[in-house]
Amino acid sequence: MSFIARLLASARGLPFGGPIGSLIERAASHLPHHHPAGDGERRAADPRRSVAFTIAAIALGAKMAKADGEVTRDEVAAFREVFQVPPGEAEHVRLVFDLARKSTHGFESYAHQVGRLFAEDRGVLENLLGGLFHIALADGALCAAEDRYLAEVARQFGFDAREYGRIKAQHAGGGGAQGEDAHLILGVEPDAGLDELRAAYHRLLHESHPDIAIARGLPPECVALATTRMARINAAYDRLSGRGLHQPA
């Protein structure tokens, strides 16, 4: 059973509704050998969480793709780097990707539905944005249109402009955890003291730790994104706290 068919099988019958539910049904109709999911394929306490994360990444990544009439290989390749798609599954991913891109539902409706599904899991939403940044950067640069798109997705997820700046710095800051980027990554002002740095770090640690994604039954892709994001947060904190320890009292 293919990756996409298994994903759709686990989603069939779950109470999604909205644009995500519509996309699941449309994609399933293009896969004639669709089979119902077995008990072993419903491991998460709420299977919607795992399915929603993956379907949302496909849909939002597709909406971000250039409307040039065809999904580019770079975009599909970037998606496959974010999501652990088995060999031979590229065409199945392309199918759902293209269906989402051509859907009459606007990207705002997908983002809004996902924001509601994960309203209590801000770290998951940040990881999903991280995956979208990876797709946007497939050509080596974040263009203005992609930046505007991601900022609006973040707004639909419930993040304000300052929070978006922090998330953007974690994934597309250009300087990693260097200089002012480290402050942006932690979401603190340049003159923040050690106590404020520690508080910001521990808040992000609580929201972003990969073990949280594992405990909540989210897919391996979410765990991998959380791991990458946590590494950037750790590097930023180590740089700023280390510098602060050597400043005069």
Side-chain angles (χ1 to χ4, degrees):
M1 191 181 201
S2 77
F3 163 75
I4 292 296
R6 186 171 64 251
L7 184 71
L8 296 173
S10 67
R12 181 61 64 86
L14 294 176
F16 278 106
I20 291 179
S22 177
L23 178 58
I24 288 170
E25 291 302 320
R26 289 185 64 207
S29 71
H30 285 75
L31 296 171
H33 300 296
H34 180 76
H35 301 288
D39 292 340
E41 293 176 1
R42 293 178 179 268
R43 291 185 296 271
D46 182 356
R48 292 185 306 164
R49 299 169 64 80
S50 179
V51 173
F53 185 90
T54 303
I55 291 294
I58 296 175
L60 293 173
K63 293 294 188 182
M64 187 170 57
K66 295 180 177 66
D68 55 4
E70 184 179 5
V71 178
T72 69
R73 291 185 177 182
D74 283 347
E75 290 158 354
V76 173
F79 180 85
R80 292 182 67 185
E81 290 172 5
V82 174
F83 287 84
Q84 300 173 16
V85 182
E89 287 294 321
E91 289 306 311
H92 293 132
V93 172
R94 184 184 292 271
L95 165 67
V96 181
F97 203 79
D98 205 39
L99 284 172
R101 187 177 59 84
K102 295 175 180 178
S103 168
T104 57
H105 290 288
F107 77 89
E108 297 92 344
S109 63
Y110 287 103
H112 186 67
Q113 184 177 8
V114 174
R116 293 201 318 269
L117 284 169
F118 294 103
E120 303 303 319
D121 291 318
R122 291 171 64 84
V124 171
L125 293 173
E126 291 196 29
N127 290 333
L128 180 49
L129 276 171
L132 295 176
F133 269 109
H134 184 79
I135 296 170
L137 291 164
D139 60 358
L142 182 70
C143 71
E146 290 167 334
D147 192 12
R148 289 192 298 270
Y149 174 93
L150 290 167
E152 178 58 24
V153 169
R155 192 180 75 82
Q156 293 290 338
F157 282 178
F159 297 112
D160 60 26
R162 176 170 175 155
E163 290 171 319
Y164 175 69
R166 172 178 57 78
I167 298 166
K168 178 181 176 181
Q170 291 176 4
H171 300 283
Q178 302 299 314
E180 295 300 313
D181 282 348
H183 291 98
L184 284 172
I185 287 170
L186 294 181
V188 297
E189 297 295 334
D191 60 353
L194 279 176
D195 288 344
E196 189 175 352
L197 288 174
R198 291 191 188 101
Y201 173 73
H202 286 294
R203 184 188 72 253
L204 292 172
L205 180 67
H206 176 73
E207 293 177 353
S208 310
H209 202 283
D211 288 348
I212 296 175
I214 294 172
R216 291 174 177 169
L218 290 163
E221 295 80 11
C222 185
V223 178
L225 288 167
T227 300
T228 300
R229 181 165 164 253
M230 200 66 245
R232 292 191 178 102
I233 292 169
N234 283 334
Y237 178 70
D238 288 347
R239 176 178 175 81
L240 294 181
S241 63
R243 184 177 66 183
L245 289 172
H246 293 87
Q247 290 177 342

